[in-house]
Amino acid sequence: MSNKNTVPATIWEALRRLLNCNKQQLAARLGVSRQTLMVWEKETARGEPISDSARLRAADLLNATLRAAGNADDLLRPRIGGNQ
């Protein structure tokens, strides 16, 4: 894992830092094999767009993580009017 004082290079690194897990654990949380995560990491590192499947799984995991933190619905729900 890289230095926590640097900006994560990829979404996968950001998720590992947020969830304080290794690559195997992140793959399990995403519901994919370690090999699938490796493919996604390599594609991302090459600057290729994130696949729809990878995007959906990352978004679902991030949303679930935020919801588990409490009061996250305030962040995930768009605001209409009010203080922004």
Side-chain angles (χ1 to χ4, degrees):
M1 208 174 281
S2 64
N3 185 337
K4 295 194 186 255
N5 291 323
T6 62
V7 175
T10 67
I11 184 65
W12 315 116
E13 184 181 347
L15 285 170
R16 284 196 310 273
R17 287 187 196 185
L18 175 66
L19 299 168
N20 194 31
C21 63
N22 63 35
K23 291 181 181 189
Q24 183 66 42
Q25 292 165 328
L26 178 60
R29 287 182 174 205
L30 289 166
V32 299
S33 69
R34 175 70 186 94
Q35 291 77 18
T36 297
L37 179 57
M38 281 181 19
V39 168
W40 292 350
E41 289 175 324
K42 287 177 184 178
E43 291 172 346
T44 304
R46 288 191 304 255
E48 296 178 23
I50 297 174
S51 70
D52 290 342
S53 175
R55 182 182 308 279
L56 180 62
R57 289 181 184 262
D60 286 348
L61 179 56
L62 184 56
N63 282 328
T65 302
L66 289 173
R67 283 203 168 85
N71 290 22
D73 284 332
D74 291 341
L75 293 173
L76 299 172
R77 187 179 322 122
R79 291 187 97 159
I80 301 173
N83 298 335
Q84 293 190 9

